[in-house]
Amino acid sequence: MPHRCQYVDVFTDRPLTGNQLAVFDDATEIPEHLYQPLAQEIGFSETTFVLPGDRVRIFTPHTELPFAGHPVLGTARVLTRRRGSDAVTLQTGRGPVPVTFDATGRGTMTQPVPVASPWPCPEEELWRALGLRPHDRHPAGIAPQVYDNGPRHVIVVAASPSAVDGLQPDLGALAALSPGAGVGVVAALAEPTTFLVRYFFPGGGISEDPATGSLAGPLAVHLVAQGLAIAGTALTVRQGEQMGRPSVLYPTAHSDGRVTVAGDVVFVGEAFFSWD
């Protein structure tokens, strides 16, 4: 029997931009051992499989993730559109994640609260792997920080958007330094509350990601902690421009400890998979 897969672009309001996602919105009859091969066959940064009870499993082409932002937001939009509703709570490997959609179709997810820890390796090795020069580093000397909200992220604050835009990382060195974590590099833009981000996860089979929802929440937490943003203020994060997949994410670190990330989702197509 053919199995339907819907294609959506996440964290964008324009088709063929943002971050691609494949959603098997009813994976009940798909054998579990085919989840990983199907994700590899499709080749997007993530593919999701929805099971009874709104349980969602998330796969990159190389591994399964307990939680990821754009797969949760995109999957939630597929399900709410099919059901004619404006809210759903997805059961992820990191616990329940509620997602609500407003009248425009923009969704907001309440993410797992990230756990922070210091970057464990010499900072100079990370700078070299990223290709950051001394004058590219933030003048306040903000140290890299590791955040875990299911996936693990290293956040590096750069001095300027041009430093982020011009990054040419050594992906092999970066994968060796952070095999289980992606690295996000951020800089403030001229507009208040607006930031430019690039994200690299070669250890997870993703050289560069056009929109990283699971990073956006910890990023808001980190920027507030460093005095670069205000708690309760929605930030605007631009990502993916260097890849030709411009994306916009809206994370907020709330004063009560909640972490939310909002964004748009557009439908671009569907496919049917079958096998003997």
Side-chain angles (χ1 to χ4, degrees):
M1 123 179 167
H3 300 275
R4 184 176 67 170
C5 178
Q6 298 199 51
Y7 294 156
V8 294
D9 289 333
V10 185
F11 292 118
T12 181
D13 59 3
R14 291 188 295 119
L16 311 182
T17 63
N19 204 349
Q20 300 160 293
L21 177 69
V23 180
F24 288 92
D25 58 350
D26 182 1
T28 308
E29 300 299 324
I30 300 176
E32 183 178 5
H33 72 272
L34 292 181
Y35 293 174
Q36 188 67 73
L38 281 166
Q40 188 173 27
E41 174 79 13
I42 293 167
F44 293 171
S45 56
E46 278 99 359
T47 296
T48 63
F49 300 85
V50 181
L51 297 164
D54 291 335
R55 184 163 68 97
V56 60
R57 295 183 64 179
I58 304 166
F59 286 80
T60 75
H62 295 278
T63 190
E64 183 174 6
L65 298 175
F67 167 75
H70 101 271
V72 164
L73 185 63
T75 301
R77 188 63 184 130
V78 168
L79 295 179
T80 55
R81 185 192 197 200
R82 187 182 73 188
R83 297 168 182 175
S85 64
D86 60 8
V88 66
T89 296
L90 297 182
Q91 305 298 325
T92 75
R94 197 60 187 260
V97 178
V99 188
T100 58
F101 291 88
D102 65 18
T104 71
R106 176 168 295 173
T108 300
M109 69 183 111
T110 300
Q111 294 192 341
V113 175
V115 177
S117 60
W119 169 249
C121 304
E123 292 182 25
E124 291 297 326
E125 295 182 11
L126 183 58
W127 306 137
R128 280 196 299 271
L130 287 167
L132 282 171
R133 298 158 295 181
H135 66 271
D136 292 330
R137 303 173 196 175
H138 195 277
I142 299 171
Q145 190 86 356
V146 181
Y147 288 86
D148 187 334
N149 61 354
R152 293 173 63 242
H153 311 286
V154 184
I155 297 178
V156 175
V157 182
S160 67
S162 61
V164 177
D165 189 56
L167 286 173
Q168 294 183 324
D170 180 336
L171 295 176
L174 206 56
L177 272 178
S178 57
V183 180
V185 187
V186 59
L189 288 161
E191 304 94 333
T193 73
T194 303
F195 297 85
L196 179 67
V197 170
R198 293 181 70 183
Y199 185 81
F200 310 96
F201 190 15
I206 301 170
S207 298
E208 183 168 0
D209 198 36
T212 315
S214 59
L215 169 72
L219 180 64
V221 171
H222 187 63
L223 293 171
V224 168
Q226 299 301 326
L228 301 177
I230 299 172
T233 299
L235 308 180
T236 299
V237 171
R238 288 170 37 192
Q239 191 179 343
E241 295 170 6
Q242 298 78 11
M243 305 174 65
R245 304 280 312 188
S247 309
V248 184
L249 305 84
Y250 303 98
T252 305
H254 298 266
S255 54
D256 62 4
R258 289 179 301 118
V259 178
T260 59
V261 177
D264 299 303
V265 182
V266 292
F267 287 78
V268 293
E270 65 181 14
F272 291 86
F273 288 78
S274 60
W275 45 84
D276 293 330

